[in-house]
């Protein structure tokens, strides 16, 4: 292993002991981290605007406050709004009210790495990025375990920024599962690359294209859905559990042979070049600019893509089939914030 995994016993400093945490945002990560830190014995205040999250924080026994007020006497301010609004919230509400020397924390490096947010020089700027959705982080914490996390720092004003990041991750339950060191640059660029090329963008395009080829050739949309989308989870589970080997061992020789011979033709040199191009656009800031420009333009492009996706034949057929398979919605209980 080139990267060392740290566990609870490896995190021995106490720079965050007795410190007051402010969580800005109470969504997927905000609700999980605020509850976990409170259960770990920290003084926690939640900063949100009036609305759904504000009410959720109240239901969970917090006394939520407007962001500008909540950050005032906090020692650690963890920024957990959506990435596209974070710089505005920071500029208008956090920066003018931040206690001198307060630590600023993030779960994704986007705003700091692309300099949408420029933190004050006297602040430690740390990262505590759980490698899983908020509800899973909260549920596993309550079960006495946790989700692994990345930790790191962008700015070390106190000389203890890295220790603070590790302590924060431990308090969030992550050190029971393992902590991995990173930098803001690495986390931001890798995260964007992964979601664009493989996990979300690559995967959905692969499914969609497979579905189109089958249905355009006259195969039924229902069978095509099962073939290229429904089974994806079963294959992904095997790969998650035991790598490609377990997946190949569990499948037939016919499918193994076809997979080895055809796969690299489908995702071949052209895809590799497209991935390299995407990485370049991430590294030189072109993607970040394109995303923030669309946000400032009312997310016209993002909303159009979403509408197209929702009205596609694949989405419609999938929704109808899943409605007849209630068992596939088991996972739903982990994908919406707890009341
Ligand atoms: P969500 O969209 O789930 O939640 C965002 C929260 O911010 C909501 O409580 C929302 O409140 C609040 N908010 C939105 N606008 C404002 C505003 N103007 N002022 C105050 N509060 C506001 O975000 P996530 O938890 O998914 O993401 C937070 C951060 O964590 C991001 O940096 C993301 O990249 C990172 N991250 C997320 C992961 C995940 O599992 N989702 C995993 C790892 C990192 P309201 O209800 O009022 O809109
Ligand atoms: Mg990611």
């Amino acid at each position: 292993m080139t990267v060392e995994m740290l566990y609870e016993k490896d995190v021995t400093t106490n720079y965050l002991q007795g410190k007051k945490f402010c969580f800005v945002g109470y969504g997927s990560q905000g609700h999980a981290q605020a509850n976990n830190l409170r259960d770990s014995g920290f003084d926690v205040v939640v900063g949100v605007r009036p609305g759904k999250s504000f009410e959720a924080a109240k239901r969970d026994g917090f006394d939520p406050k407007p962001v500008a007020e909540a950050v005032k006497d906090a020692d650690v301010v963890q920024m957990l709004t959506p990435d596209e609004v974070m710089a505005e919230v920071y500029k208008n509400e956090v920066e003018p009210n931040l206690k001198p020397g307060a630590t600023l924390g993030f779960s994704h490096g986007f705003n700091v790495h692309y300099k949408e947010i420029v933190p004050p020089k006297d602040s430690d700027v740390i990262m505590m990025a759980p490698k899983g959705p908020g509800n899973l982080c909260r549920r596993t914490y309550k079960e006495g375990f946790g989700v692994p996390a990345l930790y790191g720092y962008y700015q070390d004003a106190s000389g203890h920024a890295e220790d603070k990041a590790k302590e924060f991750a431990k308090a969030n339950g992550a050190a029971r599962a393992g902590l991995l060191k990173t930098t803001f640059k690495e986390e931001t660029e890798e995260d964007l690359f992964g979601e664009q090329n493989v996990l979300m963008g690559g995967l959905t395009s692969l499914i969609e294209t497979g579905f189109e080829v089958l249905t355009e050739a006259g195969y039924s949309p229902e069978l095509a859905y099962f073939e290229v989308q429904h089974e994806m989870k079963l294959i992904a589970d095997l790969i998650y559990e035991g790598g490609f080997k377990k997946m190949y061992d569990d499948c037939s020789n016919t499918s193994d042979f076809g997979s080895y011979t055809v796969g690299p033709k489908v995702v071949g040199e052209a895809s590799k070049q497209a991935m390299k191009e995407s990485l370049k656009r991430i590294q030189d800031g072109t993607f970040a600019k394109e995303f923030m420009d669309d946000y400032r333009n009312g997310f016209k492009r993002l909303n159009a893509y979403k509408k197209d996706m929702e009205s596609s034949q694949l989405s419609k057929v999938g929704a109808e089939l899943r409605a007849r398979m209630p068992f596939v919605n088991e996972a739903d209980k982990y994908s919406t914030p707890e009341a």
Side-chain angles (χ1 to χ4, degrees):
M1 290 266 285
T2 53
V3 177
E4 195 190 359
M5 286 273 259
L6 300 183
Y7 297 94
E8 290 212 295
K9 63 171 178 25
D10 304 313
V11 185
T12 51
T13 55
N14 282 308
Y15 296 106
L16 292 182
Q17 199 164 36
K19 298 296 183 202
K20 184 165 183 174
F21 276 75
C22 171
F23 290 90
V24 179
Y26 197 77
S28 176
Q29 282 300 325
H31 101 278
Q33 294 182 26
N35 280 281
N36 292 350
L37 268 283
R38 179 172 64 180
D39 288 353
S40 290
F42 287 90
D43 191 1
V44 170
V45 54
V46 172
V48 266
R49 57 185 178 183
K52 207 172 100 245
S53 297
F54 194 95
E55 295 310 316
K58 271 213 294 217
R59 270 201 308 276
D60 292 344
F62 290 101
D63 179 18
K65 300 200 159 44
V67 176
E69 205 180 311
V71 299
K72 271 192 175 129
D73 58 346
D75 303 296
V76 181
V77 175
Q78 175 77 340
M79 298 297 296
L80 294 174
T81 67
D83 295 307
E84 67 274 11
V85 304
M86 204 177 273
E88 284 166 18
V89 173
Y90 178 79
K91 236 200 154 18
N92 300 333
E93 296 172 77
V94 176
E95 193 177 40
N97 297 297
L98 197 63
K99 197 160 97 172
T103 295
L104 263 183
F106 297 84
S107 286
H108 183 32
F110 188 95
N111 278 279
V112 170
H113 178 61
Y114 292 116
K115 302 204 163 35
E116 293 279 337
I117 291 178
V118 181
K121 282 281 162 256
D122 63 347
S123 283
D124 288 341
V125 181
I126 64 174
M127 161 149 350
M128 198 288 287
K131 290 318 283 174
N135 282 292
L136 188 68
C137 295
R138 179 62 185 147
R139 179 167 63 86
T140 50
Y141 179 96
K142 284 196 284 191
E143 289 167 359
F145 201 61
V147 165
L150 305 181
Y151 70 92
Y153 66 88
Y154 178 80
Q155 191 169 286
D156 186 7
S158 71
H160 306 300
E162 186 171 317
D163 290 320
K164 289 180 184 174
K166 286 193 256 184
E167 290 174 33
F168 186 178
K170 182 180 180 178
N172 196 42
R176 299 182 200 133
L179 309 184
L180 287 154
K181 187 171 169 170
T182 190
T183 62
F184 274 62
K185 172 177 157 56
E186 178 184 56
E187 184 274 337
T188 304
E189 294 177 353
E190 261 184 5
D191 197 56
L192 294 174
F193 179 85
E195 64 208 17
Q196 291 175 18
N197 292 277
V198 182
L199 304 174
M200 296 168 65
L203 183 61
T204 52
S205 296
L206 191 64
I207 293 174
E208 181 69 50
T209 306
F211 182 81
E212 280 172 16
V213 169
L214 283 172
T215 52
E216 283 168 17
Y219 295 88
S220 91
E222 289 77 12
L223 285 188
Y225 171 84
F226 275 106
E227 195 52 52
V228 302
Q229 182 165 327
H230 180 84
E231 278 191 48
M232 187 64 75
K233 173 177 163 40
L234 314 176
I235 295 294
D237 282 349
L238 292 170
I239 295 175
Y240 176 84
E241 289 160 18
F244 289 175
K245 182 168 182 347
K246 179 163 183 183
M247 188 271 287
Y248 280 125
D249 284 350
D250 261 30
C251 296
S252 69
N253 287 334
T254 330
S255 58
D256 291 3
F257 184 81
S259 162
Y260 284 126
T261 53
V262 177
K265 289 186 189 144
V266 173
V267 181
E269 199 46 42
S271 298
K272 190 167 179 183
Q273 286 310 320
M275 287 192 191
K276 285 186 172 175
E277 173 64 18
S278 141
L279 184 59
K280 202 169 109 258
R281 295 176 82 258
I282 290 166
Q283 289 170 333
D284 68 13
T286 309
F287 170 76
K289 183 175 180 310
E290 192 184 8
F291 172 67
M292 291 304 293
D293 282 351
D294 192 45
Y295 165 64
R296 288 175 187 128
N297 195 29
F299 268 152
K300 281 212 180 79
R301 293 176 60 198
L302 180 62
N303 290 330
Y305 287 125
K306 279 192 176 159
K307 217 168 134 210
D308 276 359
M309 180 274 294
E310 281 165 15
S311 59
S312 75
Q313 190 189 14
L314 174 62
S315 289
K316 286 182 177 153
V317 169
E320 282 164 21
L321 290 171
R322 286 189 303 274
R324 289 187 229 160
M325 299 185 287
F327 60 90
V328 300
N329 284 322
E330 241 325 72
D332 253 11
K333 62 182 176 221
Y334 305 129
S335 63
T336 43
E338 56 195 340

